Amino acid sequence: MKKRSTSLLLLVGIVVSLLAGCGNKDNNSANGNASPSPSAEPSVSASASPSESTGDTEKKPEDYKGEITVWTWNNDYFKERVADFEATYPNVKVNLTTMGWGDYLTKFEATKASGGDLPDVALAESYWWGKMLGYKDIFLDLGTVGFNKEDLVASASEAVVNQEGKFVAIPEGLGVGAIWYRKDLAKQYLGTDDANELAAKLSTWDDFFKAGDTIKSQSGGKVFLTPNATDSIEALIGSLKTSGKSYVDGDMLTLDNMKPAFQYVEQGLKSGTIGKLEGPAADAAWSQGNVVFFPSAGWREGFIPNVDKDGKGRWGVMVPPGGSYFRGGTAELIVDKKDPAKAELAALFIKQSLYTEQGMKINFKYGNVSAVKSFVDNKVTNGVNEFYGVDLTALYYDWLSKMPPAKYGKNDSIIEDALKTQANAIQKAGITADAALSNAAKEIKDKASIQ
């Protein structure tokens, strides 16, 4: 690893203290599958593996026995995690059940309702993270199996607590809001390809969308600011929500806060500065050079080299106007089966993957940004990514340190789905921003207990 913790002993001490007293969409492309170069891989200390003491007897990894089940949609990532875990804990078997991202929540809720066999480790993706936090008496209080909420970064501290006030979720990786851009096009149309200079030049969303006029004028309308309405509205919703202008206040809709976002989308589509690229055309835009900025998340790190194989050196990433925000992310939860042995093994699985340098080697490979405070504070990173020429993990850690705590509400997925659907209606049907918000409000009230 090109950049290591300045205090590995401190990190190991934190990991061991967590265990002391412990009673025990396929989304592969979105998370990225590009491996870092071997020289960039974090080095691993044998002492970073967790162990447990009970009285005067130290429990060894081979002393743990049993099996657990994990449900996932991200097969490649979890296959590597399971292999790493089973190599460390040879007498524990992890049964991996893989399904489509779009089927996950439906299957979980159907199994829960029927009294069927839920997994020991469940996942909550950001679109329905809040909904799963609303379930009562389903997930284990993680404080009972050696986790401490204070060991997570402040920006994640509220997103891990359920509506009963229990600490039940560990972020697998934080989807840090980012704007990826073509450096060659930014230099050509905006005069600079430097991320800091661009962030200063486009420090507000008003500045950002006005830059579309310059790009359109200089390119003769052949190059767009962003690819489509959906990418644009997702960035704007995340930014507004994180800055305190949310779409909901308790059980009251506050969609007026979203009006500027929808106006930007309406104006950009009408003027031709926002593209109308969808499906294969949207995917192709990453390599074709007809879009300058791609609002998305840090996990695009592994995606871009796959879709723009000749793009080494021509991609940059900048902080969004107003600062970064949560843009996607996945939490891991332990289903409370009233079985201490199962809970113990499930906790070990999460700790091995998310709290040790050994596990972080896999996390970095798939573009996950750690929520564990010791990694962030000690700048444990994946080193400089040769494709981009920058240490992306260190960059995201800096953004996280300035991000206010995120919180997921029980109706977030319903609300955000409706908002994105209506932004897409502006693009496809040409409705106004006001009509889109009115339609969204009706759809949300029909589906959620909200005023």
Side-chain angles (χ1 to χ4, degrees):
M1 182 170 66
K2 297 181 180 177
K3 292 189 179 181
R4 287 201 57 184
S5 167
T6 58
S7 179
L8 180 58
L9 289 176
L10 172 63
L11 176 59
V12 173
I14 291 172
V15 172
V16 174
S17 69
L18 278 169
L19 287 158
C22 173
N24 37 32
K25 137 196 221 85
D26 188 280
N27 202 35
N28 290 339
S29 64
N31 283 282
N33 292 315
S35 301
S37 63
S39 61
E41 289 187 354
S43 60
V44 179
S45 165
S47 61
S49 297
S51 62
E52 182 172 323
S53 297
T54 303
D56 296 329
T57 304
E58 182 174 304
K59 202 169 181 180
K60 299 176 182 179
E62 57 266 28
D63 294 333
Y64 294 94
K65 298 178 181 179
E67 58 184 89
I68 58 172
T69 299
V70 178
W71 285 6
T72 182
W73 58 86
N74 193 354
N75 190 56
D76 290 349
Y77 169 60
F78 269 90
K79 280 177 68 177
E80 291 198 43
R81 281 183 53 177
V82 169
D84 173 59
F85 178 78
E86 292 183 341
T88 304
Y89 296 92
N91 296 317
V92 181
K93 178 176 175 54
V94 179
N95 300 304
L96 199 60
T97 300
T98 306
M99 64 199 74
W101 175 86
D103 300 323
Y104 195 96
L105 183 62
T106 301
K107 180 172 181 178
F108 190 93
E109 291 190 321
T111 305
K112 177 170 69 74
S114 67
D117 191 16
L118 290 168
D120 298 293
V121 177
L123 308 184
E125 205 271 352
S126 61
Y127 284 113
W128 16 274
W129 189 328
K131 186 171 187 179
M132 292 182 80
L133 289 178
Y135 297 156
K136 291 184 179 180
D137 303 320
I138 295 295
F139 300 115
L140 193 71
D141 183 338
L142 296 176
T144 65
V145 285
F147 291 97
N148 190 333
K149 186 165 74 77
E150 281 63 45
D151 290 328
L152 301 176
V153 293
S155 52
S157 61
E158 296 300 320
V160 296
V161 178
N162 69 9
Q163 294 178 27
E164 299 170 299
K166 294 179 180 178
F167 169 37
V168 298
I170 299 289
E172 175 185 290
L174 300 174
V176 180
I179 297 181
W180 297 92
Y181 65 93
R182 282 282 298 258
K183 295 172 74 172
D184 53 338
L185 300 179
K187 181 76 171 178
Q188 180 178 352
Y189 298 120
L190 299 176
T192 182
D193 62 5
D194 181 82
N196 291 328
E197 291 179 7
L198 282 170
K201 193 169 188 176
L202 309 177
S203 61
T204 69
W205 286 110
D206 196 47
D207 295 331
F208 181 80
F209 283 99
K210 281 182 178 177
D213 295 328
T214 301
I215 294 167
K216 178 186 176 183
S217 174
Q218 293 189 17
S219 70
K222 295 180 179 179
V223 178
F224 301 108
L225 175 75
T226 62
N228 51 50
T230 301
D231 286 3
S232 301
I233 205 67
E234 286 186 343
L236 288 162
I237 290 171
S239 179
L240 287 169
K241 183 180 176 184
T242 301
S243 68
K245 297 180 180 178
S246 181
Y247 42 64
V248 65
D249 181 7
D251 289 331
M252 181 72 67
L253 276 178
T254 52
L255 292 190
D256 280 349
N257 286 337
M258 297 292 112
K259 190 167 185 177
F262 279 78
Q263 289 174 332
Y264 284 131
V265 170
E266 179 187 7
Q267 292 164 7
L269 289 167
K270 282 185 176 179
S271 67
T273 58
I274 294 177
K276 298 181 179 180
L277 307 176
E278 297 181 319
D283 292 337
W286 292 84
S287 61
Q288 284 185 343
N290 56 344
V291 176
V292 181
F293 295 104
F294 295 79
S296 190
W299 42 252
R300 289 287 185 184
E301 171 185 349
F303 169 84
I304 296 172
N306 289 333
V307 295
D308 189 16
K309 298 185 184 301
D310 298 322
K312 182 179 178 180
R314 69 181 178 194
W315 281 96
V317 61
M318 60 176 275
V319 66
S324 189
Y325 45 84
F326 278 116
R327 169 69 171 81
T330 302
E332 301 192 5
L333 309 94
I334 298 175
V335 175
D336 188 1
K337 297 184 174 180
K338 312 301 180 187
D339 184 339
K342 288 276 192 182
E344 176 185 51
L345 298 179
L348 283 176
F349 178 75
I350 294 174
K351 288 170 185 173
Q352 173 66 16
S353 297
L354 305 181
Y355 282 77
T356 71
E357 286 197 63
Q358 178 83 11
M360 283 309 298
K361 181 167 65 172
I362 299 170
N363 255 15
F364 284 144
K365 178 179 177 179
Y366 286 86
N368 284 335
V369 179
S370 180
V372 178
K373 194 172 185 293
S374 58
F375 286 121
V376 177
D377 289 349
N378 292 308
K379 305 297 183 186
V380 180
T381 81
N382 206 24
V384 173
N385 184 307
E386 294 180 1
F387 187 87
Y388 303 99
V390 66
D391 186 336
L392 293 168
T393 315
L395 185 68
Y396 299 147
Y397 284 165
D398 179 60
W399 294 1
L400 274 174
S401 69
K402 302 167 187 174
M403 193 186 298
K407 192 169 186 176
Y408 290 113
K410 62 182 179 180
N411 293 312
D412 282 10
S413 59
I414 293 172
I415 296 171
E416 293 189 10
D417 282 349
L419 291 173
K420 287 183 285 186
T421 296
Q422 292 305 318
N424 198 36
I426 298 177
Q427 176 176 315
K428 289 187 171 181
I431 66 173
T432 65
D434 287 339
L437 285 169
S438 178
N439 292 344
K442 183 179 184 305
E443 180 180 344
I444 293 163
K445 289 175 181 178
D446 287 343
K447 294 181 178 180
S449 300
I450 202 165
Q451 300 180 357

